[in-house]
Amino acid sequence: MTTALFVSQLLNGLQLGVILFLVAAGLTLVFGVMDFINLAHGVQYMLGAYLVAVLTAWTGSFAAGLLLGLVGALVLGFVLEVLVFRHLTRRDHLEQVLGTFGVILIVTELVRILFGSAPLAFPTPAVFAGSVTLLPGLNYPVWRLVILVVGLAVAVLLWYLVNRTRLGMLVRAGSTHPETVSALGVDIDRLFLVVFAFGAMLAGLAGAMAGPLVSVEPTMGDRILIVAFVVVVIGGIGSIKGAFVSALVVGLVDTLGRAFAPDLLKVLVGKSAAAAAGPALSSMLIYLLMAVVLSVRPSGLFGGRSA
């Protein structure tokens, strides 16, 4: 293992963590504030990737495509909340799971009808194509560095919104004492609508950032949703700080585990056993991490009363 390889995988892990944070931040806000289990959050991630890819091709500009795509993701969040999710927020969790699973099936099939099952072309924006030399022998893609910068900027913005604005105060209060906030004259349904739509836009931004790196196809949201739930559980439900820290840890553990766990096993158990067990073990690491964290802190690393 060379230094360049290790640094490259370390940056890949941080980049994956940033993508997970963008997805998990909206998920933990919706779960923490609305007590709503939204299995369709992965669909919103997928729709963001499709919207930005299509609008970029239509306008010929990634900046315009990204802006219009995020607005489209926000609008779709409003529409889904008003038409579907608002009617599920006061139902039990089983009905929420069933209802949002139905949304997954319907939206995924609609996308498949409109665009087909084949992956949609989403090239890296020309201005961010290429790579930069970080170390001797390490040329790292510019687009992955852009993802890191965008993720950190969003994390700072979310921290400011949640902790330094009146809307953030209402969100924090609504997550623990919705009846009291409502009694003070705040429209809880409108607050929930804003939170849900903002979460949908964050998921759409994650899809737009990941689009040039992954296959943009109708089921792309299913894969990241499970890992995003792991991030939320480890970090603590309703905690943005927990989602950020947990996302980076999960991204690093998953990436470094897949890259180096098989080689480390060869030292302990031999090549043949490592070849058989290495891939399975590396894919289990984040779930083992979740089990360890929950055994020590059942409410997650930063879980509080709302958790």
Side-chain angles (χ1 to χ4, degrees):
M1 179 179 66
T2 64
T3 301
L5 175 60
F6 178 76
V7 172
S8 175
Q9 294 301 325
L10 189 67
L11 290 173
N12 287 342
L14 291 174
Q15 174 256 305
L16 174 60
V18 164
I19 294 292
L20 289 174
F21 167 69
L22 292 175
V23 178
L27 194 60
T28 198
L29 278 175
V30 171
F31 203 176
V33 175
M34 302 169 62
D35 192 28
F36 182 75
I37 301 177
N38 181 19
L39 293 187
H41 201 68
V43 163
Q44 293 160 335
Y45 165 84
M46 177 266 293
L47 288 175
Y50 268 92
L51 283 172
V52 175
V54 171
L55 290 170
T56 296
W58 179 58
T59 60
S61 166
F62 174 74
L66 179 63
L67 179 61
L68 293 174
L70 292 182
V71 172
L74 184 71
V75 171
L76 286 175
F78 276 114
V79 171
L80 285 173
E81 201 280 338
V82 171
L83 295 182
V84 181
F85 298 129
R86 177 170 297 183
H87 307 287
L88 297 172
T89 51
R90 292 177 176 84
R91 297 179 179 269
D92 61 44
H93 287 163
L94 177 59
E95 291 181 87
Q96 292 172 1
V97 167
L98 293 174
T100 53
F101 185 71
V103 172
I104 293 175
L105 297 178
I106 293 171
V107 174
T108 300
E109 195 58 34
L110 286 174
V111 170
R112 186 174 285 115
I113 292 172
L114 290 173
F115 299 101
S117 299
L120 187 69
F122 193 164
T124 302
V127 67
F128 299 121
S131 59
V132 293
T133 301
L134 300 180
L135 291 172
L138 174 57
N139 295 321
Y140 200 73
V142 174
W143 180 245
R144 290 182 181 269
L145 295 176
V146 170
I147 292 175
L148 285 172
V149 173
V150 170
L152 292 175
V154 171
V156 172
L157 176 62
L158 280 177
W159 176 85
Y160 179 79
L161 288 176
V162 171
N163 294 283
R164 293 291 186 269
T165 65
R166 182 174 183 273
L167 177 62
M169 177 190 68
L170 293 176
V171 168
R172 286 183 282 118
S175 66
T176 54
H177 302 90
E179 295 84 3
T180 303
V181 174
S182 181
L184 292 175
V186 177
D187 189 337
I188 285 293
D189 286 337
R190 181 175 296 177
L191 177 64
F192 285 176
L193 174 62
V194 172
V195 170
F196 188 89
F198 187 70
M201 186 177 68
L202 286 178
L205 175 61
M209 294 292 102
L213 303 178
V214 301
S215 176
V216 178
E217 42 86 24
T219 61
M220 63 180 292
D222 299 344
R223 296 189 295 272
I224 201 168
L225 178 66
I226 297 174
V227 185
F229 268 115
V230 171
V231 169
V232 170
V233 171
I234 292 176
I237 295 170
S239 171
I240 294 296
K241 179 171 69 173
F244 180 72
V245 173
S246 174
L248 294 183
V249 171
V250 168
L252 287 171
V253 168
D254 186 65
T255 302
L256 296 178
R258 292 179 187 274
F260 302 121
D263 292 332
L264 293 175
L265 278 178
K266 290 177 184 178
V267 179
L268 300 175
V269 298
K271 292 185 178 181
S272 59
L281 178 62
S282 59
S283 64
M284 291 168 52
L285 286 177
I286 59 173
Y287 305 105
L288 293 174
L289 173 65
M290 180 176 67
V292 170
V293 170
L294 292 182
S295 67
V296 178
R297 292 185 62 86
S299 61
L301 295 175
F302 297 92
R305 285 185 60 187
S306 62

